[in-house]
Amino acid sequence: MTCDLSPIKCFDWYPGTSPSHLIAIGLNTGKIYLQSFQFNQADEEDMPSVREFGPRSSCPCQQLSFNPAHHSWVAAAYDRRTDRTRTENSSLLVWDIRSAHTVGNTASSSQHDKRSSTAGLMKQVFESGAGAADCCLSCSWIVNETRTIAASFFNRTQIKVFDLRQDPNRGQAVQTKSLNGLTSDPLRPVRLASFHDNEVNIWDLRSFNKPCHTIREGKHVVDIQWCPTRANLLSVALTGNSLVTLHDLNQPSSNTADESEPTIISRAVPGCASHTAVTSIAWHPTIENKMLILGNNEELSEVTNCERISLAWSSKRGIAFATGKKVALMEPSKLGEVLSALDEIGDVMRRRAELGYGARPFTSVKENEEFLRLVTNEVKSMWEFLSLQESFSEAHRVSSLGSPSITPTAPPSILYTGVKYILRGDTSGRSTCEKSRALKQPWLGCDSRSSDIFTEHSQWLVSGERTQVLKHCGWGESRESEEFTELLSRLEKEGQYERSAALALFSLMLDKAIDILHRGAVKDPTLSIIATALAGFHPSHSSSLWKANGQRLTSQLNHPYLKAMFIFLSSIQQLSSILLVLELAVADKVALACRFLDDGEIIDFLDKLSAKLIGQGCLEGLILTGLAGDGLDLLQGYLDRSDDLQTVACVVAIGRNHPLMKDDSRVQRWIESYRELLDQWQKWEQRSLFDIHASQLDSTSALLSSTAGALPAVLSSQVDLLCEFCKNSLSPSLQSLRMTHGRARPPTRGLDAKNLKAIPRVSSCSSCRKPLPKCAVCDLFLGTNAKFVHGSFAGNNIPSEFDDWFTWCQTCHHGGHSFHLLDWFKDHQECPSISCSCRCMTLDV
């Protein structure tokens, strides 16, 4: 529908519901015309009787604005008067379109006669009295302030705020050139925006003497509009620009100074569909992020502003999407198999924590079977190595305490430096170790009728350092040792028949290796074929044909230990290069190298092997690197590869205060991250057990790394109470509650009230003698016995240590004796302090 009025300068929609689709149109002559675009009987009855009104003088109407609260009030901003002889001198007028309902409303008159006969009879609610020569460029009602309007005046270069209930000459005013497009923020009524050239000024009515912020654009501004559905969002259209710039004004925190500027985040969004320049913007009043944009070719485009989407993972495997005012939550069951598999380690860590993983020392495989089922073989091997090293360190300490004059052949810190330290002699790489010597070892169990058989496999290299490395690898001092026999038996029980047979073969125990394979054939029949092939090998007269067939068989085998057995028998000279390729346990690789590689080869081999394991983040490499130095880089690689923060935190907790580890910031960061993860899972008990175990490990680590007979220092407290006057610790004062004349305070259990009255009461700071805070319940100073009230104990209750503890709310900071607060909050939720309305009891619910 169109209306034939010309020339039209401005218009505004009526904000009420009836009549519907009513607009006020401002003409170039100064007249205001009311037009409804939906005709029905109800609308016709609600239509104002005066359809055309305005000032008597002719002046263009610059802007119309309906009051958002008093819907019948419409403000009109006028240009300067062309007829100076008129007495009217106001360039801002406010009309009440409901005031002329019954004036001139005759049914017989025509529509044109009705308008003409009642023109000028509309009631004026307000006039600015600004002067006939002035020009009102723009005006805007202040939202929530129903009788307050802001207007900008050209001649006086002024923005003024009027209260319709007061004299027009009164009101706030500010001198500025930023007079165009004055608009009030619908969601923050104290804020206005206006522009001039390429500057947009933001005004705060509480401090109206200057803009609270100025935004400078690259081009001249043609239009600005506040978003009515989202706070702090201002849209700006620029000359010749097809994009709309959105400025998100994030307000400063409440504790900053009033003059601090808001943080503004700006971004550009597409405007017209035809990429023409934007001339005007209108936000939808209720639908979020929807705009109507007018291009310079008179094209209207409906644009939806897509918000940036924020994505957050929950510690319980849920995902949250946030855009605008909407937050979408997706439960783990709806994520699908792919996303569920990505967070599988989270489920594993949570189940392991519930079983006590990291909350107790790892002493043996048998005692920790429940959570070892939830770890990989790599992690399991790592824990076995760490447990073995701690047992060696404990044995070393005990032997040193028993014989102080005995100097150990190896330091008790292999747990932190790795076995490379043993072979190198020091951390600089300069070897100071004993030179290795060759020792011939015969084959065992090949033929009972023959004498000892020696081959190229019998040339074992031995030294004191190599023997220590074999022990740290779990192989024992020799093949006849109890440790090596237990290792083979344990591997069989775990079903690792291939590895057990290979270790027996590497120790020249051919018959034992064949027997192990036959026993394993019960589960894997192919092992009996391997055993038969090995039975055809004889160390003394094995033919080249057998070795050639053994090498061909190697390429057909998949298990690394089966491959290693045939390579060992066929070409031991290539052992160094082969060990780097085969996927054997690192401990076994190191042990084989110590047994068969000479002094030059073994150092080079261990350097290459450790560099490879650090790059892969393989936990088994800790046997070479230890926990400190390169070991921390290895743990970082493992964490990046597996996301198993739990294992890394539990490992570094063993030696976080060791001199070789405490200066690395990653150690404490891993531990704190795991603590936070337990808190997010609400595993409070597991978090406490982990902290207790970590503190025990601190003292144990200090004991194991100390010199013989030395004891670790007592752990200091983690929480101290400070005097609010002198800021000194109150701990010395509280100690007197437990100490009397240098003697320990007697236990409270079993004492009667008479004896308890003799216990000293400390109610002041030992440094400045100022009083301690008072309990909000009993009104006695903290430090006084909790159950000692008015010279007697309440009932026959004997106070416990916890009853006297200081307890306070983290929000209102009121508190008192733990015993009194527990009793108070049984029946109350609000703070016991008078005039405090803090609901302390519900803050953590």
Side-chain angles (χ1 to χ4, degrees), residues 773-813:
K774 288 186 176 182
C775 173
V777 178
C778 69
D779 203 34
L780 295 178
F781 292 107
L782 294 176
T784 306
N785 293 321
K787 296 184 180 179
F788 188 79
V789 183
H790 302 299
S792 63
F793 286 92
N796 295 323
N797 296 325
I798 303 300
S800 65
E801 294 288 343
F802 180 74
D803 293 340
D804 295 335
W805 279 26
F806 287 22
T807 307
W808 62 93
C809 173
Q810 297 295 320
T811 301
C812 66
H813 304 294

Side-chain angles (χ1 to χ4, degrees), residues 34 48-53 97 100-101 103 114 118-122:
L34 301 179
S49 58
V50 177
R51 305 291 181 86
E52 183 179 342
F53 55 93
I97 64 174
H101 261 256
V103 180
K114 183 185 299 185
T118 58
L121 298 181
M122 188 73 69

